[in-house]
Amino acid sequence: QGANLTDMYGTLHSPNYPESYEKEVEVTWNISVPDGFQIKLYFIHFDLEPSYLCEYDYVKVEAEQEVLATFCGREETDTEQVPGDQVITSPRNVLSVTFRSDFSNEERFSGFEAHYSAVDVDECRDRNDEDLACDHYCHNYIGGYYCSCRYGYVLHSDNRTCRVECSDSVFTERTGVLSSSDYPRSYPKSSDCLYRIELEEGFQVNLEFDDTFDIEDHPEVTCPYDYIKIQAGQREFGPLCGDRSPGRIQTGSNSVQILFHSDNSGENVGWRLSYTAVGSQCQVLQPPENGQLEPVQPQYTFKDHVLVTCNHGYKVFKDDEELEHYQIVCEKGGSWSSTVPTCKMVDCGAPEEIENGTVTFEGPSNSTLLGSRIQYSCTNPLHHLYPSGNSTYTCTEAGVWTSEELGTKLPSCQPVCGEPGQAFPALQKR
Amino acid sequence: IVGGRSAVPGLFPWQALLMVEDVSRVPEGRWFGSGALLSESWVLTAAHVLRSHRRDASVVPVSPEHIRVYLGLHDIRTKHLAVNRTVERVLLHPRFDPRNYNNDIALVKLSQRVDLSGLALPVCLPPPGQDSSLPLPNTLGLVAGWGISNPNVSTDDTTASDLGDRSDVLQYVKLPVVDQEECRSSYASRYRKYNITENMFCAGYYEGGRDTCLGDSGGAFVMEDPHTGRWVAQGLVSWGGPEKCGSQRVYGVYTRVSNYMPWLQNHLDSDS
């Protein structure tokens, strides 16, 4: 005999109640209500045969394989327990009640009558188990509860913990600071954060963790819960956890990925690091003869520029090309973009020829270097230099032949004008 | 040239003979004038020498292919011995007025450069910025040409036909510059329509006898620079009154070259 009771409230009583119950009876009522409810049971009548430790007749209340109470007798003794006005509450949403009578009854016993009702559970108040409690906010309702998260967090698929979206951080500056979310407050649970440092090839990233470092760990197992893993090129660092800062890590790579994983429990401060980029180093250059390098530094690293200039009267020569200055860059791999060019004295080159004219060098070796002087003159006596005056040109620092009167403009050989080829006839005596 | 003398070869090495044969207007379409060599490529002349003959006042230059330039020429009968050039370009002054010959000046660019020699040398131009009152009255200049030397023989055009009474050998004459007011009043008193502008000056003698004439047009009126001793083209033979050349009180009118230096320099410089 017995019944499965699923209503939200109900009554149960011993067989034949309120008449005396029969011998050798065993009846079980299985009460179940929806999740989120507990069952409260209380007796309004109780009259069973008393026996030592209720070994004859009894009412046993159980839940989830656990005996909550065993009642028998008419009144409370050292060895017999009666329900009285005690209210029995099930730990969850099921409860079973079993009535049993043995083969004999010395007297007439009327049995029992009991009532039950389903009562909403306030999970937000009652759940102290960290594994079940809401991470941030808990909201109770009749028959259940739900969790929500603070602004900026996302409820994890476990519907309990609050994670963060944190995998879109790409750092491209040469220096920067990264930290776990909310540092130095506890970092979020159930999160996988990927931080990427992406610098130009030729740089190497160095990481420096702050002293305040706290990632949930385990005394015997290496970082089973939360951890940092660092991938730098082919090298991997970590997993890192615990409360000792890893200090400085030289990754040797320009591309670094930092994965920070947190599980669904624990309250730890987290971590913070600053990173710096170090360029590959180029050897110190020697300035060219009659020239200099700027800036002068004890060492040059990737991306450093050096400007090569020449002293007054000299010009930079690179691949036979004359330049005002020349720039060299320290490249990845520690090599310079070019060799140091040479400085050569300013050379104005061969002077431009003029029609019907010629150029005479004033110096001994037809030098066209800075300071050399030349003179223009006309080859044909029927031409004269125009404009007349000083036809001397000097090779100037600008690398051009320049005249004091005409600047860089050239003279020309113009025909001599207004001179008859014949003398006028002499006077004749009349 | 009326009342002049025969030149010896090389006396006027800048003197150029310009032969024009405008075949579209035969037989009137043949005439000649003079010019002055300015450089290996450029010849200075009067605009009316190279203006295509038209009845209206339009100014159209003769096509370059209808012009021949002779340099180093002495006797016109031996043109074949002279330097002979065709013409690449004719530049008439843009404000040349064929009704009164104001701005009667032109440039001719030769197709080929001329080799300079004792018989072919350029004439000087007035210095830029020369006072427009120059040349001074009564100073003497020389003009040469192959134009009419005997004005008693009649002609039928304002320019001489090369078949007319021209001189075979280059003639030249020495003429004094006439006071501008005298020149102006001389013409004004006789012909109301003739106007002496600031771009012209007169040269000649009150008593006549020596003058330029038909066929001398475009030739240079040269004056000796007292400082350099070089001969400078101060004028270009332009026009005269309807009387016979060399008549009394009929002065020849010349284009005042110094008024055109910017225009000339502009073209000469752009070419060089």
Side-chain angles (χ1 to χ4, degrees), chain A residues 56-254:
Chain A
Y56 300 153
D57 302 346
Y58 57 80
V59 170
K60 190 185 283 184
V61 182
E62 295 170 290
E64 296 167 356
Q65 319 302 324
E66 187 185 347
V67 177
L68 301 180
T70 304
F71 301 115
C72 63
R74 284 181 170 148
E75 53 190 28
E76 197 95 0
T77 68
D78 289 346
T79 58
E80 295 146 7
Q81 202 176 7
V82 294
D85 56 1
Q86 182 181 348
V87 176
I88 298 165
T89 304
S90 66
R92 288 173 53 79
N93 61 335
V94 289
L95 189 73
S96 69
V97 179
T98 301
F99 167 74
R100 179 184 177 274
S101 64
D102 67 354
F103 62 93
S104 70
N105 285 326
E106 293 180 359
E107 294 177 34
R108 180 179 174 274
F109 300 101
S110 56
F112 74 93
E113 182 178 3
H115 293 268
Y116 76 89
S117 64
V119 181
D120 177 51
V121 177
D122 187 348
E123 291 89 350
C124 297
R125 186 192 62 202
D126 296 342
R127 292 211 166 170
N128 297 319
D129 186 348
E130 192 200 20
D131 290 342
L132 299 172
C134 287
D135 193 2
H136 288 180
Y137 300 125
C138 183
H139 308 275
N140 182 59
Y141 60 87
I142 293 173
Y145 74 105
Y146 68 94
C147 303
S148 67
C149 299
R150 289 195 294 269
Y151 180 79
Y153 288 75
V154 180
L155 189 66
H156 189 261
S157 56
D158 64 9
N159 288 326
R160 189 182 67 77
T161 54
C162 294
R163 64 183 179 86
V164 286
E165 296 283 3
C166 51
S167 290
D168 54 354
S169 308
V170 181
F171 296 78
T172 56
E173 300 295 320
R174 290 192 202 176
T175 59
V177 176
L178 294 71
S179 67
S180 53
S181 298
D182 289 349
Y183 182 88
R185 286 181 290 151
S186 299
Y187 53 77
K189 299 179 179 68
S190 304
S191 297
D192 283 294
C193 299
L194 183 68
Y195 306 83
R196 291 191 296 141
I197 303 171
E198 298 288 350
L199 301 182
E200 238 179 290
E201 263 188 80
F203 286 116
Q204 294 180 343
V205 176
N206 289 336
L207 309 176
E208 182 80 49
F209 280 90
D210 282 11
D211 290 338
T212 304
F213 184 89
D214 177 25
I215 297 175
E216 187 181 17
D217 67 346
H218 190 278
E220 283 136 23
V221 182
T222 305
C223 306
Y225 309 125
D226 306 338
Y227 54 81
I228 288 176
K229 276 185 182 173
I230 299 168
Q231 184 77 39
Q234 300 300 314
R235 300 175 70 184
E236 194 173 297
F237 301 88
L240 308 172
C241 59
D243 56 6
R244 279 189 61 188
S245 168
R248 185 178 179 81
I249 296 177
Q250 294 182 324
T251 68
S253 173
N254 64 306

Side-chain angles (χ1 to χ4, degrees), chain A residues 355-356 380 382-384 386 413-426 428, chain B residues 5 8-14 39-40 113 116-118 121-124 142 172 230-231:
Chain A
E355 200 174 346
N356 295 311
N380 188 333
L382 296 177
H383 287 89
H384 69 120
Y386 178 81
C413 284
Q414 300 280 354
V416 173
C417 68
E419 289 198 348
Q422 279 289 332
F424 277 90
Q428 288 184 356
Chain B
R5 300 173 64 177
V8 292
L11 197 58
F12 296 92
W14 47 82
S39 68
E40 284 107 325
R113 293 160 72 94
L116 303 181
S117 69
L121 284 171
V123 73
C124 299
L142 290 175
Y172 73 97
R230 293 169 187 266
W231 291 86

Side-chain angles (χ1 to χ4, degrees), chain B:
Chain B
I1 300 290
V2 176
R5 300 173 64 177
S6 295
V8 292
L11 197 58
F12 296 92
W14 47 82
Q15 192 76 22
L17 175 69
L18 274 58
M19 299 288 296
V20 181
E21 189 164 335
D22 193 349
V23 290
S24 63
R25 293 178 64 82
V26 176
E28 299 86 356
R30 300 176 71 203
W31 68 88
F32 70 86
S34 279
L37 190 66
L38 294 181
S39 68
E40 284 107 325
S41 298
W42 288 97
V43 171
L44 179 67
T45 187
H48 79 264
V49 174
L50 298 179
R51 178 194 169 227
S52 186
H53 287 185
R54 284 160 185 263
R55 295 196 185 281
D56 59 17
S58 61
V59 177
V60 177
V62 172
S63 294
E65 62 267 27
H66 295 149
I67 305 168
R68 278 295 158 135
V69 178
Y70 295 90
L71 289 153
L73 179 66
H74 177 62
D75 188 329
I76 210 163
R77 291 165 300 187
T78 58
K79 285 202 290 281
H80 60 283
L81 299 176
V83 176
N84 175 355
R85 288 288 181 268
T86 54
V87 170
E88 181 184 309
R89 197 146 48 114
V90 174
L91 294 169
L92 305 188
H93 193 278
R95 291 196 300 278
F96 170 58
D97 186 344
R99 291 165 301 190
N100 65 358
Y101 279 27
N102 195 21
N103 305 307
D104 189 13
I105 188 167
L107 278 170
V108 173
K109 189 178 186 199
L110 305 177
S111 301
Q112 229 181 343
R113 293 160 72 94
V114 175
D115 290 331
L116 303 181
S117 69
L119 297 177
L121 284 171
V123 73
C124 299
L125 286 169
Q130 176 181 294
D131 186 346
S132 62
S133 67
L134 296 175
L136 292 173
N138 303 317
T139 51
L140 291 165
L142 290 175
V143 198
W146 290 275
I148 288 171
S149 54
N150 181 1
N152 294 322
V153 177
S154 65
T155 56
D156 59 353
D157 201 351
T158 52
T159 52
S161 161
D162 65 351
L163 302 173
D165 187 26
R166 46 132 174 90
S167 303
D168 291 333
V169 172
L170 184 67
Q171 300 289 304
Y172 73 97
V173 69
K174 189 181 287 187
L175 299 171
V177 175
V178 174
D179 175 75
Q180 188 76 357
E181 194 47 44
E182 157 69 7
C183 173
R184 194 173 282 133
S185 62
S186 163
Y187 275 97
S189 63
R190 288 175 294 145
Y191 315 105
R192 189 177 295 175
K193 68 173 187 174
Y194 292 159
N195 185 21
I196 305 295
T197 71
E198 289 305 311
N199 296 318
M200 306 168 187
F201 69 87
C202 293
Y205 295 91
Y206 180 83
E207 64 274 22
R210 280 171 282 182
D211 199 359
T212 50
C213 200
L214 304 179
D216 295 323
S217 285
F221 180 97
V222 296
M223 302 180 80
E224 191 176 17
D225 184 313
H227 303 294
T228 63
R230 293 169 187 266
W231 291 86
V232 179
Q234 293 287 5
L236 296 173
V237 180
S238 183
W239 59 280
E243 298 88 348
K244 286 188 297 184
C245 308
S247 296
Q248 192 178 40
R249 219 195 158 194
V250 178
Y251 305 114
V253 184
Y254 299 82
T255 305
R256 193 183 293 273
V257 175
S258 61
N259 283 6
Y260 298 94
M261 287 314 295
W263 182 73
L264 291 171
Q265 287 299 334
N266 187 31
H267 287 293
L268 298 176
D269 288 351
S270 70
D271 184 62
S272 61

